[in-house]
Amino acid sequence: MGSPAADEDLPQVLIIRNPPAFTIDGEEQFTSPKFRFLKAFESTLPPHDFLAARARSVRAMLASGGAVVDARVLQFLPELRLIVTTTAGLNQLDLPECRRRGIRIANAGDVYSADVADCAVGLLIDVLRKISASNRYVKQGFWASKGDYPLGSKLRGKRIGIVGLGRIGYQVAKRLEAFGCSIAYNSRKAKPGVSYPFYQTVQELAAKTLGKDGVIVNIARGGVIDEKEMVRCLMEGEIAGAGLDVFENEPDAPKELMELDNVVMSPHCAVFTRESLLDVARLVVGNLEAFFSNEPLLSEYEDD
Amino acid sequence: MGSPAADEDLPQVLIIRNPPAFTIDGEEQFTSPKFRFLKAFESTLPPHDFLAARARSVRAMLASGGAVVDARVLQFLPELRLIVTTTAGLNQLDLPECRRRGIRIANAGDVYSADVADCAVGLLIDVLRKISASNRYVKQGFWASKGDYPLGSKLRGKRIGIVGLGRIGYQVAKRLEAFGCSIAYNSRKAKPGVSYPFYQTVQELAAKTLGKDGVIVNIARGGVIDEKEMVRCLMEGEIAGAGLDVFENEPDAPKELMELDNVVMSPHCAVFTRESLLDVARLVVGNLEAFFSNEPLLSEYEDD
């Protein structure tokens, strides 16, 4: 880091809301000698007032998943030319408005895919092989007093249905192939060069792969599943279990699931490993430094 | 099943102790129209008395993992020509004495390898990604009240050291390759046709792959690890965690580990899926039927 005097001359990068990776073990991870942050979240001003007063000349901003950047925000940022996100998805951005204003976007690219795929597979193994539940059984001392734990289910030979075969879905498929599972998928259209059976609709895919002995794993977003209906199916045994990293009303998760040993829940942490947060911090800093040096961005998002 | 009268004429298969898979959901899994069982465990006689009185003409027996078949047992069974095990390993048998007596052996072959490998990988993901611990956190309602759970560790890029690259070790390696881990192994000698780096000793392997951030997974036998020393290392943070399916004094597990969130324990159930128990029952029955029909055994064990 330069001296305070030199810092004053550095270009500013706006942050509306602190991204999760900003600090790890008390250390700021996004530091650079080439820019400094303008932190809206540290101001006592209401966000829009802060933007109007302080951010008119800002040319770059960092947007985490929770920080909505809509047309209303963008109108306060006439000089903005770059948004760098700590996310792979861009749901928090008004993409048409960004395009209209000529704002480039650099996202987290593929940084999280492996970790999310690992989490999906981990949740599936956990549910099928009852790892969390039997761990609790052993730790409560029941092994010695009550004997063997109920049988788990085998992974080999299981039919896996993947809804959306993007980067993450494909990595889940590759992992589960190594376990001897057979893969099928649904997406808007069949992927070229992919040999897994393709189903036009989620319903057709589910008819082939789910059912009374089936397990649902969700590492995407809570909203992609009708949570009430899933809870009902789990309570009534219409499906055999679930591994869930995401929920409709986080950080709340459905109370009915808390007592179910065949449901394994993690607190929306599929992307959160120390390594992936360090990786995304490096990528964000690299994108911002490249921008201010007029060099190609490391992970520029291109509209289809 | 034949009529009781016909049953009387069937050849007998001795069982000293009930194997775990013998009954699933209340149904006997090892039934056959070609033989009947002579169940020592149902008699009130002491085992050796039962053998002396009832088993002299027995030509085949079924041996589970817990049923020791040593020279003392074999001397009561002069007509024995076949032992079928429900296990892959044969630690319960006095192999030289079997060989001397010309007793053939059929074991469980490769039936369990995939499930054990799955369990090893499941335990590893669980420890690294804190699945059991974060599941408990969510189910206790702490996500809403206390916020995010501590970061997990990434699988991709991790160095994996496998002690013993047999069928199970190899299947563990294949799975973890799909997660982007790098594999090394130790065994008595380097395996031909295997490209993973080979280390002469467990110590050299551990020096490359374990350490303060390392995790131990044991799905072999409790005795292969110095459990006291492992507990000490875990308590003092010399290793980062453990996933354990086996223990020195089962069904007891070390009390000190019960409170540790970075230790995941399952009750020696790596082989126990419904599917693998059904598979082993089919294999056992197939071996016994083949023997009594003078056909080749399905999974005859050949001494090196």
Side-chain angles (χ1 to χ4, degrees):
Chain A
M1 302 249 287
S3 68
D7 270 8
E8 289 291 302
D9 301 328
L10 291 176
Q12 295 191 109
V13 175
L14 174 66
I15 309 183
I16 292 180
R17 184 170 155 173
N18 217 348
F22 200 74
T23 305
I24 298 181
D25 294 340
E27 273 197 46
E28 278 203 17
Q29 297 298 327
F30 290 67
T31 53
S32 165
K34 298 202 174 154
F35 57 82
R36 65 197 167 105
F37 286 111
L38 175 65
K39 299 174 182 175
F41 60 89
E42 288 184 348
S43 168
T44 54
L45 290 176
H48 288 174
D49 293 354
F50 178 89
L51 296 182
R54 302 280 310 279
R56 287 199 65 81
S57 65
V58 155
R59 295 179 56 228
M61 78 181 285
L62 172 59
S64 60
V68 172
V69 183
D70 55 14
R72 182 113 191 267
V73 168
L74 291 171
Q75 77 184 11
F76 292 106
L77 307 170
E79 300 299 320
L80 193 71
R81 292 295 168 267
L82 174 70
I83 299 175
V84 180
T85 69
T86 56
T87 55
L90 299 172
N91 296 324
Q92 73 272 41
L93 307 186
D94 182 337
L95 289 177
E97 183 65 13
C98 288
R99 199 179 308 121
R100 202 181 66 76
R101 289 173 172 271
I103 297 170
R104 300 164 70 189
I105 295 167
N107 68 358
D110 209 17
V111 164
Y112 303 115
S113 307
D115 282 345
V116 177
D118 292 353
C119 180
V121 174
L123 287 169
L124 179 64
I125 302 177
D126 196 313
V127 175
L128 289 177
R129 298 300 303 273
K130 306 183 192 290
I131 292 180
S132 287
S134 71
N135 175 51
R136 197 165 49 241
Y137 185 83
V138 171
K139 288 186 170 178
Q140 290 177 333
F142 291 148
W143 188 13
S145 62
K146 297 187 178 180
D148 285 344
Y149 196 74
L151 293 172
S153 298
K154 199 184 197 73
L155 271 86
R156 176 175 284 177
K158 286 283 182 300
R159 296 187 300 273
I160 305 290
I162 298 179
V163 181
L165 199 74
R167 284 166 166 171
I168 294 169
Y170 192 71
Q171 291 204 32
V172 170
K174 283 298 170 197
R175 282 156 177 70
L176 288 174
E177 272 195 288
F179 289 82
C181 299
S182 67
I183 314 291
Y185 74 104
N186 153 258
S187 63
R188 273 171 300 175
K189 48 189 183 181
K191 304 272 175 185
V194 169
S195 60
Y196 307 131
F198 165 73
Y199 291 88
Q200 293 278 351
T201 67
V202 179
Q203 286 76 9
E204 289 171 83
L205 183 68
K208 287 282 176 194
T209 58
L210 210 51
K212 208 168 65 60
D213 297 321
V215 164
I216 284 182
V217 170
N218 190 4
I219 43 75
R221 281 178 302 109
V224 304
I225 294 184
D226 179 338
E227 200 170 72
K228 270 212 179 64
E229 181 65 9
M230 180 183 65
V231 167
R232 191 193 62 72
C233 288
L234 284 164
M235 303 291 289
E236 299 180 5
E238 290 183 23
I239 55 176
L244 307 169
D245 186 57
V246 289
F247 305 88
E248 276 187 10
N249 300 306
E250 298 172 5
D252 290 320
K255 292 262 176 303
E256 301 91 326
L257 303 184
M258 304 289 181
E259 303 297 320
L260 299 183
D261 276 348
N262 57 337
V263 176
V264 179
M265 301 191 274
S266 53
H268 202 150
C269 60
V271 303
F272 289 148
T273 64
R274 170 180 305 271
E275 293 87 343
S276 71
L277 294 194
L278 292 172
D279 284 347
V280 84
R282 269 192 293 268
L283 184 61
V284 161
V285 169
N287 272 308
L288 289 166
E289 291 184 346
F291 172 76
F292 290 120
S293 308
N294 294 313
E295 287 166 10
L297 300 179
L298 304 183
S299 58
E300 181 151 14
Y301 170 77
E302 312 278 0
D303 261 337
D304 292 327
Chain B
M1 302 248 286
S3 68
D7 270 8
E8 290 291 305
D9 301 328
L10 292 175
Q12 295 191 109
V13 175
L14 173 67
I15 309 183
I16 293 181
R17 185 172 156 172
N18 216 350
F22 201 75
T23 305
I24 298 180
D25 294 341
E27 275 197 44
E28 277 203 19
Q29 297 298 326
F30 290 67
T31 54
S32 162
K34 300 203 173 152
F35 58 81
R36 63 195 169 105
F37 286 111
L38 176 65
K39 298 174 180 174
F41 60 89
E42 288 184 350
S43 168
T44 53
L45 291 176
H48 287 174
D49 293 353
F50 178 88
L51 297 180
R54 301 281 311 277
R56 288 198 64 82
S57 65
V58 154
R59 294 177 58 228
M61 77 180 287
L62 172 59
S64 60
V68 171
V69 183
D70 55 15
R72 182 112 193 267
V73 168
L74 291 171
Q75 75 184 13
F76 292 107
L77 307 170
E79 301 299 320
L80 193 70
R81 291 295 169 268
L82 175 69
I83 298 174
V84 181
T85 69
T86 56
T87 55
L90 298 173
N91 296 324
Q92 74 272 40
L93 307 186
D94 182 337
L95 289 177
E97 183 64 13
C98 290
R99 200 180 306 121
R100 202 182 65 76
R101 289 174 171 270
I103 298 170
R104 299 163 70 189
I105 295 166
N107 69 358
D110 209 17
V111 163
Y112 303 114
S113 308
D115 282 346
V116 177
D118 292 352
C119 180
V121 174
L123 286 169
L124 179 65
I125 302 177
D126 196 313
V127 174
L128 289 177
R129 298 300 303 272
K130 304 181 193 291
I131 293 179
S132 288
S134 70
N135 176 51
R136 196 164 52 240
Y137 185 83
V138 171
K139 288 186 171 178
Q140 291 177 333
F142 291 148
W143 189 13
S145 63
K146 295 187 178 180
D148 286 342
Y149 196 74
L151 292 172
S153 297
K154 197 184 198 73
L155 271 86
R156 175 176 284 177
K158 286 283 182 298
R159 296 186 301 272
I160 305 290
I162 298 180
V163 181
L165 199 73
R167 285 165 166 173
I168 294 169
Y170 193 70
Q171 291 203 33
V172 170
K174 282 301 172 196
R175 283 156 177 70
L176 288 174
E177 272 194 288
F179 289 83
C181 300
S182 66
I183 314 290
Y185 74 105
N186 153 257
S187 62
R188 273 172 300 174
K189 48 188 183 182
K191 304 270 176 187
V194 168
S195 60
Y196 307 131
F198 164 73
Y199 290 88
Q200 294 277 352
T201 67
V202 178
Q203 287 75 9
E204 288 171 84
L205 183 68
K208 286 284 177 194
T209 57
L210 207 54
K212 211 169 62 63
D213 297 322
V215 165
I216 283 182
V217 171
N218 189 3
I219 43 75
R221 282 180 299 112
V224 304
I225 293 183
D226 180 337
E227 201 170 71
K228 271 211 178 63
E229 182 64 11
M230 180 182 66
V231 167
R232 192 193 62 72
C233 288
L234 285 164
M235 304 290 289
E236 297 180 5
E238 289 183 23
I239 55 176
L244 306 169
D245 186 55
V246 288
F247 305 88
E248 275 188 10
N249 300 305
E250 299 173 3
D252 290 319
K255 292 262 175 303
E256 300 91 326
L257 304 184
M258 304 289 181
E259 303 297 320
L260 299 183
D261 276 349
N262 56 338
V263 176
V264 179
M265 300 191 275
S266 53
H268 201 150
C269 60
V271 302
F272 290 148
T273 64
R274 169 180 305 272
E275 293 86 346
S276 70
L277 293 194
L278 293 172
D279 284 348
V280 84
R282 270 192 294 270
L283 185 60
V284 162
V285 169
N287 273 307
L288 289 166
E289 292 184 345
F291 172 74
F292 290 120
S293 309
N294 294 312
E295 285 167 10
L297 300 178
L298 303 184
S299 57
E300 182 152 13
Y301 171 76
E302 314 277 2
D303 259 338
D304 292 326

